[in-house]
Amino acid sequence: MKKIEAIIKPFRLDELKKGLSDMGVKGMTITEVKGFGRQKGHSEIYRGAEYAVDFVPKVKVEVVIQAEMVEQCIQTILETTKTGEIGDGKIFVMPVEQVLRIRTGETGTEAI
């Protein structure tokens, strides 16, 4: 099993959610996060004063899937979230040693 974390632009979430659901992903966790990468934030003007926005709002999407679905999941994330602009985000893939569903006690892929 693998855990995929994708940090994306918030307005791309609905497309990504639909794409992952269409490929058979049964669940996901969404977290509103703030951060910066190469874009280093930006500046805005409020009431005539310019100020720096150091952290840019993003969404972190986490899914745990079977290892054989990783490439298809990565492709879906790329197709649904890529704008070609700075700040499109990142995808992280990590191994998952064990999954346990608390309610039923199921383990492994049955618990996903």
Side-chain angles (χ1 to χ4, degrees), residues 93-105:
V93 181
M94 296 158 271
V96 173
E97 291 184 25
Q98 185 176 5
V99 176
L100 191 110
R101 178 170 289 145
I102 295 172
R103 179 178 55 88
T104 63

Side-chain angles (χ1 to χ4, degrees), residues 28-79:
M28 61 186 75
T29 301
I30 309 297
T31 311
E32 292 181 7
V33 296
K34 293 182 180 183
F36 69 89
R38 289 186 180 160
Q39 67 194 98
K40 303 270 196 263
H42 61 280
S43 47
E44 291 184 2
I45 297 177
Y46 179 72
R47 294 189 177 180
E50 185 174 346
Y51 65 98
V53 178
D54 294 332
F55 295 102
V56 179
K58 300 285 184 180
V59 173
K60 178 166 72 168
V61 178
E62 299 172 88
V63 296
V64 177
I65 58 174
Q66 296 177 20
E68 51 273 2
M69 295 176 66
V70 169
E71 291 306 317
Q72 181 185 3
C73 187
I74 289 172
Q75 197 59 38
T76 298
I77 295 169
L78 289 174
E79 289 171 2

Side-chain angles (χ1 to χ4, degrees), residues 3-28:
K3 178 180 180 182
I4 297 181
E5 290 184 5
I7 310 295
I8 64 167
K9 292 181 176 184
F11 68 90
R12 292 297 202 178
L13 179 59
D14 288 337
E15 289 179 53
L16 176 59
K17 186 173 94 172
K18 183 182 180 327
L20 290 175
S21 293
D22 289 349
M23 67 168 273
V25 173
K26 295 182 175 131
M28 61 186 75

Side-chain angles (χ1 to χ4, degrees), residues 78-92:
L78 289 174
E79 289 171 2
T80 57
T81 62
K82 184 178 179 179
T83 66
E85 302 290 324
I86 292 176
D88 273 351
K90 297 263 192 299
I91 300 171
F92 304 95

